[in-house]
Amino acid sequence: MDLLTFSLHNVFALLQQMSVFLVIAYLFTKSPFFRSFHLHTLHPRTQLLLYFIFSSFSILGTYFGLPINDAIANTRAIGATLAGIIGGPFLGGAVGLTAGLHRFFLGGFTAASCGISTTVEGIMGGLVHVYLVRHYQQHRLLSPAVAFFTTLVAEIVQMIIILLLSKPFDQALALVRIIALPMILANSTGAAIFVSIIRDQRKMYDDLSVFFSAKALKMAEKTVSILSLGFNMTTAREVALVIREQTGVGAVGITDREKVLAFVGEGSDHHVVGQKISSSQTRKAISENRIVYADGGEKKWRCNLSRECPLGSVLCVPLRVDNELIGTINLFEPQNKLFLVTNKTLGEGITKLLSDQILYARYIEQKTLVTTAELKIAQAQISPHFLFNALNTIIAITRKDSDRARDLLLHLANFFRKNLKHTRSLATLEEELNHVHSYLVIEKARFEDRLQLEMDIDSELLALNLPVFTLQPIVENAIKHGISNMLGQGVIRLSVGRESGLVRISVEDNAGNFAQSSRKGVGMSIVEKRIKNLCGEKHGLEIYCIPQVKTIISITVPEGGCKET
Amino acid sequence: MIRALIVDDEIHARTEIATLLAETGAVEVVGSCGNGIDGLKLVNKLRPEVLFLDIQMPVINGFEMLNMVNREIMPHVVFVTAYDQYSLKAFEEKTLDYLLKPVDGERLKRTVAKLQQTIVENRRPVYETEEIGRIPCILGNRIRLVCLSEVVYITTTVAGVHVTTMDGEYFTEVTLKVLEERSRLLRCHKQFLINMDYIKEIILLDGGLGRIVTRIGQEIPVSRRYLKLIKKKLFI
């Protein structure tokens, strides 16, 4: 009875010192190191750090211990066992050995047995680690139950070691009878609580990051469609509204290098769009190309425009695209409100995101520019051969038939006008056919009997929209590489018709020369690219060739035509 | 009057240059045609003094056609082209002149003057020729370009020049002499050229004559004069 009372007293005393211990553990989980440490990949540096931390815990456990009969009832086992569970047998052993040696030098009749048993406890924790990892149970490394039972068994083993190694035996037995229960209970419980503190803290960080990721993603989602239209006053305002809504800051301002592009929130009565940048912090962010932060505490933000301005703190983040500074994003909080660190992080993150989006928008714009430039090239690629041969033909015809010559000149003029003037990206089938007609009338005059034309056009489709300058290059291709290389009579057949939910336009010649130059020429690939850009990826250009018999180049477009982008 | 041949694949281009030439009063157009194969035929037949030649034409172009003309009957050449994509300047020394379409009458007069001068001085046109890679052949109403490596042998008869390949016999306007000069084919008889790659065996006959058996079994006569040369080529 007496013994039990003493034991209970010891249990409470040990639990008490364990509480101190847990406070330290709690503080550890608050350290920046803890945030960056990942259980699954322990780098040597992290291992070393963990070694020091757990060794300190373990040694502290000895110091906080309760001297009983020339021995110390303590919580040393927690550090060693947990080090083993978390870091493996090597780390556990190292921590156990360190704390054990320390205990050994403190002396007493259990010095040797306690020293050895602490090392054994560390290694036991390590064996549990190995077992869990081998059985793909890594998630249980931070399980309080595992920590509890491992420590429980480890402490029992320690008691046995004390009984086996400490002399004299009867004194050891008396000691074990007193300390066994409190130490086993206190250490197991302490380890379990320690682990659950670590686990809860981690979970909290995870939850927080989920929360912030969600916010950031939402902002990304909302801004991406805005910035694809470019970076200007209109889009800047929309972006500023999204940022303010998601972060809840007092005001958001967006500037380019000189002036305010957008300002929403408190103080927008005197922070007006279009004015020169007044904030010295923003100017500093631009001139030094770095983030400038005035937290409202030591560093205050003072409005240079109005004494009445409610704003008191600011975060100015430079907006860089491709290493070039194009403006700033500014998050403000009023004087009576704290600037949240999370908002600071979010502000910096979102700026990076916006940079990427602007870059992407620029890329898309460039891509369209390239296609437009290519169209220009295609248009400019009127073959000089065609032009001079046409003129030569018309001059010859002038002698015999001036009316026909006049008609041909008008067609030539029409052809050139169509080629030179194209401001829109789409044209109706009718316009395209008109262009091709002028071209073909001239080619027919050049080749006369060598060229025969056949047309089969569904007149209901005349209003259909196609990428401008689609048809003529295909027809020209058929003549230049087909008919003009034939000795016999050439036939060009142009047909436009519906075909299972789409419209097919085909140009067929009877030369069958395409196989000889099996790749698509520049002209054809530009036509194909523009159809894909303006009508969708599934549309395009197909080539079918039976050598010496026929070549069919056909394009397909949606039934409803192509749409302006 | 200078006798001229016009080869151009566009009919109006032919009539236009013919009209302009007639206006000079110094040139008589003896013929005109729309492709290089007909052009070759007419050069062989009409022996013109000058050839007004388009470059871009179906199947064989102007350069290729010139390559197949016998040196002895080579006329003076004036290239007439719409667009100077071949940098004709480079050919200026080799050809008599070149004209750009649409042809200017005054410019043509200068060409004709140059032509008259050349003929008076009796300067012969000498054009560098290249090895013939493909022989334009006619089979029925089709033109086929026969690669030299496909040719087994070529023979000339009263009907013309016949090209024999593994899969048929074709007729060509290119003469045996031109083919001998500008290809790897070997003369083995006055009327025969043989592709060495297709020789299976050579049977030696009495009196220094021989007979070639080709890989598909045709027999080709070898005359005394050429047998020695062939033996030499074969290191016999």
Side-chain angles (χ1 to χ4, degrees), chain A residues 223-294:
Chain A
T223 50
V224 72
S225 56
I226 303 172
L227 282 174
S228 63
L229 301 170
F231 183 59
N232 53 43
M233 284 196 180
T234 323
T235 56
R237 185 180 155 76
E238 289 183 47
V239 169
L241 283 169
V242 170
I243 297 177
R244 181 153 186 260
E245 181 197 339
Q246 291 298 322
T247 56
V249 293
V252 175
I254 297 180
T255 73
D256 61 14
R257 292 182 67 108
E258 279 102 30
K259 58 182 192 304
V260 179
L261 289 180
F263 193 97
V264 297
E266 295 174 43
S268 55
D269 52 335
H270 60 278
H271 290 276
V272 193
V273 166
Q275 68 191 178
K276 283 210 157 225
I277 297 169
S278 62
S279 153
S280 45
Q281 272 82 0
T282 306
R283 283 204 298 266
K284 194 171 172 188
I286 291 172
S287 63
E288 295 177 16
N289 193 4
R290 65 178 181 89
I291 296 169
V292 175
Y293 179 48

Side-chain angles (χ1 to χ4, degrees), chain A residues 57-68:
Chain A
F57 279 151
S58 214
I59 291 168
L60 279 176
T62 310
Y63 278 123
F64 290 143
L66 214 59
I68 298 165

Side-chain angles (χ1 to χ4, degrees), chain B residues 54-158:
Chain B
D54 186 13
I55 295 174
Q56 205 157 54
M57 290 187 295
V59 188
I60 60 170
N61 66 31
F63 298 126
E64 286 172 316
M65 180 192 139
L66 276 191
N67 229 3
M68 295 170 197
V69 174
N70 269 9
R71 200 170 287 165
E72 286 76 23
I73 59 166
M74 180 63 84
H76 295 284
V77 176
V78 176
F79 279 122
V80 187
T81 185
Y83 177 59
D84 184 3
Q85 72 185 103
Y86 300 100
S87 21
L88 288 172
K89 279 267 175 210
F91 291 93
E92 211 169 10
E93 288 176 12
K94 296 178 191 168
T95 58
L96 186 100
D97 205 352
Y98 69 94
L99 297 167
L100 290 174
K101 293 180 200 171
V103 179
D104 175 8
E106 291 304 309
R107 176 71 181 77
L108 183 66
K109 275 180 194 160
R110 287 214 300 276
T111 304
V112 171
K114 195 173 172 185
L115 191 60
Q116 284 168 325
Q117 183 70 26
T118 313
I119 291 172
V120 167
E121 290 171 9
N122 198 21
R123 270 186 277 147
R124 294 299 312 148
V126 181
Y127 302 129
E128 265 176 47
T129 48
E130 288 168 24
E131 188 165 297
I132 294 172
R134 298 179 308 171
I135 307 169
C137 294
I138 301 159
L139 182 69
N141 58 356
R142 296 238 317 267
I143 300 281
R144 222 195 109 178
L145 292 173
V146 177
C147 280
L148 211 66
S149 57
E150 289 177 61
V151 174
V152 179
Y153 68 93
I154 299 179
T155 177
T156 171
T157 66
V158 276

Side-chain angles (χ1 to χ4, degrees), chain A residues 100-146:
Chain A
L101 278 175
H102 170 263
R103 168 67 190 85
F104 177 75
F105 290 117
L106 289 182
F109 84 103
T110 58
S113 55
C114 281
I116 292 168
S117 63
T118 308
T119 314
V120 170
E121 283 174 308
I123 294 171
M124 281 179 68
L127 292 178
V128 171
H129 174 95
V130 171
Y131 174 85
L132 289 177
V133 170
R134 289 227 176 123
H135 288 78
Y136 306 106
Q137 305 262 309
Q138 285 98 324
H139 60 278
R140 292 179 66 193
L141 290 175
L142 285 182
S143 148
V146 168

